[in-house]
Amino acid sequence: MIRPGTWLLAIAFICASVAAGLASAAEKAPKAWTYMIFMNADNDLDPFADEDFTELMRVGSSDWLNIVTITDREKGPAALHYVEKGNNVTVRELGEIDMGDWKTLVNFVKEVSTSYPARHYAVSLWNHGSGWKHTQKVFKGISYDDQSGNYITTAQLGQATREIKAILGKKLDLLTMDACLMQMMEIAWEVHKNVDYVVASEELEPGNGYPYDSHMAGLKPYTTPREFVCHMVSSFKTAYNGGVYGTEDTTQSAIDCSRLPALKDAIDGWAKAAMSGSYAQAYKQALLDVQKFDTKTNIDLWHLI
């Protein structure tokens, strides 16, 4: 099953209101990592939520790792879960909430980071993604909620990560998007001041999404964010290259956001030269041959250059 969903980014890759109810932060010393999954299954992806919980429970939280999810199901209420090895603990039922509202994301991170403090924080956005595409039916953004008809726009994702940075008192170590078409310069630029690393896919992502068990198995208490994102890319490739999910064409990459300002300057200069008209024939040929994703306007920036 394909998750349906401009320039796409390849040059900066470093490797190919939730209600109270969580435990008091005063009772918990910071762990090494807290991994948060914003699981919007209030749509046709609902069956994959159970599969991903099974994967997460194979690893589970530990004395140095918290795995916490907020999950809204297609035919059921939303809930906050703390994932243990072999057990998915429901911390609190939340009723029907709007997972397409960026404030829900911010409140989730605020509650979890307060109750499950850590040195490093990762947030995974689990849903459909449409990147920078704008058609009659699908608008650029992520986290489409079928009940509310709402979704998080690219601009709102920037606003959400700004507020999350303020809540944490530092940049979010890692933003992952378990969704289609989200690894684009436009999206990465929107969050780059608030996030250290972004992991996502340029192309459509298969319905199975992330192999969370192999992702989390590679995370250790001493693992740095940079090491973790590289492992995530590698384990994703393995899962779809004859691995647990068979063989499918996929893309996955990690971006070091600290390198994006220099990249933007380079793109601006390159675009100015491109628009001069002096290289029209070269660009015409390049656009015929360049790597495309999903639609003809989704092209790989590095390959085009």
Side-chain angles (χ1 to χ4, degrees):
M1 173 182 175
I2 292 293
R3 300 188 180 196
T6 114
W7 302 103
L8 291 130
L9 178 62
I11 196 169
F13 294 165
I14 63 170
C15 45
S17 161
V18 179
L22 301 179
S24 169
E27 301 172 2
K28 295 179 179 290
K31 294 187 179 182
W33 281 89
T34 292
Y35 194 103
M36 297 171 255
I37 304 177
F38 191 74
M39 190 178 288
N40 182 356
D42 200 355
N43 46 60
D44 58 357
L45 296 176
D46 184 74
F48 296 104
D50 292 325
E51 295 179 14
D52 285 347
F53 274 125
T54 298
E55 293 173 352
L56 289 166
M57 287 188 290
R58 290 189 184 121
V59 178
S61 301
S62 66
D63 58 356
W64 57 268
L65 169 66
N66 298 304
I67 302 175
V68 188
T69 76
I70 185 171
T71 309
D72 193 8
R73 305 301 297 265
E74 186 176 26
K75 296 180 180 179
L80 199 66
H81 297 101
Y82 187 82
V83 183
E84 299 175 342
K85 189 167 185 177
N87 191 24
N88 186 29
V89 180
T90 300
V91 176
R92 186 180 181 88
E93 295 282 355
L94 302 173
E96 183 57 44
I97 60 177
D98 186 358
M99 297 285 279
D101 186 342
W102 65 273
K103 300 183 193 70
T104 304
L105 171 61
V106 172
N107 289 334
F108 168 58
V109 175
K110 181 178 181 179
E111 294 294 336
V112 172
S113 63
T114 299
S115 298
Y116 295 99
R119 296 196 305 274
H120 300 297
Y121 295 99
V123 172
S124 181
L125 302 182
W126 186 108
N127 188 245
H128 290 298
S130 63
W132 200 245
K133 184 172 68 174
H134 184 181
T135 67
Q136 290 182 339
K137 294 183 178 181
V138 181
F139 295 87
K140 52 195 177 187
I142 194 170
S143 194
Y144 296 82
D145 188 308
D146 283 5
Q147 291 294 320
S148 68
N150 203 6
Y151 67 100
I152 299 175
T153 68
T154 301
Q156 289 170 348
L157 187 59
Q159 187 170 358
T161 55
R162 282 193 295 275
E163 295 206 11
I164 289 170
K165 178 183 176 183
I167 289 166
L168 299 179
K170 69 182 190 73
K171 290 183 180 181
L172 180 65
D173 294 275
L174 171 59
L175 175 66
T176 79
M177 288 173 276
D178 190 3
C180 294
L181 305 172
M182 296 302 290
Q183 196 68 298
M184 293 184 172
M185 180 58 177
E186 292 89 341
I187 296 165
W189 183 255
E190 194 69 39
V191 304
H192 82 282
K193 292 182 179 180
N194 316 313
V195 176
D196 283 330
Y197 297 95
V198 174
V199 178
S201 173
E202 288 183 276
E203 181 57 285
L204 297 173
E205 186 179 280
N208 284 310
Y210 282 0
Y212 283 99
D213 46 359
S214 58
H215 276 184
M216 305 308 294
L219 183 61
K220 308 299 179 186
Y222 50 81
T223 302
T224 66
R226 186 182 185 91
E227 291 169 338
F228 186 32
V229 298
C230 287
H231 169 74
M232 291 182 69
V233 171
S234 176
S235 63
F236 186 92
K237 178 181 178 180
T238 298
Y240 288 98
N241 190 24
V244 63
Y245 297 144
T247 300
E248 294 194 51
D249 292 334
T250 61
T251 62
Q252 195 73 195
S253 57
I255 291 174
D256 179 346
C257 291
S258 69
R259 300 179 65 183
L260 294 185
L263 174 60
K264 179 182 179 297
D265 288 345
I267 290 175
D268 287 345
W270 171 71
K272 184 177 180 180
M275 291 187 292
S276 70
S278 302
Y279 308 97
Q281 190 56 42
Y283 277 106
K284 182 178 180 180
Q285 186 60 47
L287 288 170
L288 293 175
D289 299 335
V290 71
Q291 173 69 58
K292 300 177 178 65
F293 301 110
D294 185 40
T295 68
K296 65 180 181 180
T297 58
N298 287 26
I299 63 176
D300 186 89
L301 175 59
W302 177 258
H303 194 221
L304 178 67
I305 292 172

